Amino acid sequence: MIHLILEYLKFLSKSSNQHGVHSPFVFNLVTKCFYKKTDISLWKYFSNIKQQLLDNKTVIKVTDFGAGSKIFKSNNREVSKITKVAGISNKKAKLLIRLVAYFKPVNILEIGTSIGLGTSSIKIGNNESLITTLEGCPETSKVAQELFKKNDFNKINIITGDFNETLPKVIKNQQFDFIYFDGNHNKKATLDYFDMCLPAINNNSVWIFDDIYWSQEMKEAWSEIKNHPKVTVTVDVFHWGIVFFRKEQEKEHFKIRV
């Protein structure tokens, strides 16, 4: 926790708002998406779904393929507690809803379904989207499937299994408008997934990497992603790193307070 506080203070000293942005594309993103209020009806929709998970006292056995939890000491976890501790935060959910509503991506990939709260944010942002979401743990996958069924979310395909096996199959001969990387908070896995997904980009693809300041390893992974020759624009909002591949843009990196 102290590590993240120190990183955030450093981030604040180097970040700016729309007044420090000279790219029209990023200026519009900041003013028309980042700093726009979340539609209240969409937020009520999300809040209702989150409450369903908060009310769920079922205990499940979590299989963790990622960097592990800094909070949970046992793999037997109550769904309501997973929601409180590991579910997408309200701040992130609001921004995710706004981003999806702003870009209106159709073909979406999520790496790390968990209990389905982040997936719900994406679906609420654009109900017409076709979402493929990957989850390693069978028990959390079941919770997510039940949540989607209960709320009549269509066009969501959950694929359960090790990402190293499921991701290459999902990416093959596909293009994704939007990819949300939230499945494994370590350097090697993050960079491996980045490389695996590169064949699936188009000029307007939007990629989001969660928790880029989680550890020194994740900071290093983010630095390598920024420097990749196919990446043109990145926006660091601290809790996320957002990546664009727009060939018409000059290579630029932004740190924006949200």
Side-chain angles (χ1 to χ4, degrees), residues 1-7 62 64 66-75 77 81-82 85-87 184-186 210-219 238:
M1 183 60 75
I2 292 172
H3 155 77
L4 284 175
I5 292 169
L6 292 174
E7 289 292 348
V62 174
D64 203 331
S69 172
K70 292 182 179 180
I71 306 294
F72 291 111
K73 304 303 178 189
S74 165
N75 286 341
R77 303 170 191 175
K81 289 181 180 174
I82 296 173
V85 174
N184 197 320
H185 291 59
N186 71 55
D210 191 46
D211 288 337
I212 56 172
Y213 290 95
W214 172 267
S215 63
Q216 183 60 36
E217 269 200 0
M218 284 302 290
K219 282 176 63 182
F238 188 73

Side-chain angles (χ1 to χ4, degrees), residues 16-78:
S16 64
N17 55 22
Q18 74 269 30
H19 301 299
V21 174
H22 303 294
S23 159
F25 170 72
V26 178
F27 181 84
N28 285 335
L29 174 63
V30 173
T31 55
K32 296 178 181 179
C33 176
F34 287 1
Y35 293 164
K36 186 180 176 182
K37 286 193 173 181
T38 309
D39 183 295
I40 193 161
S41 63
L42 298 183
W43 183 244
K44 283 181 178 177
Y45 193 5
F46 172 84
S47 298
N48 176 265
I49 290 168
K50 184 173 184 177
Q51 192 58 53
Q52 292 169 30
L53 290 170
L54 288 170
D55 292 339
N56 188 339
K57 305 302 180 185
T58 306
V59 174
I60 62 173
K61 186 171 184 178
V62 174
T63 308
D64 203 331
F65 292 96
S69 172
K70 292 182 179 180
I71 306 294
F72 291 111
K73 304 303 178 189
S74 165
N75 286 341
N76 293 318
R77 303 170 191 175
E78 197 175 89

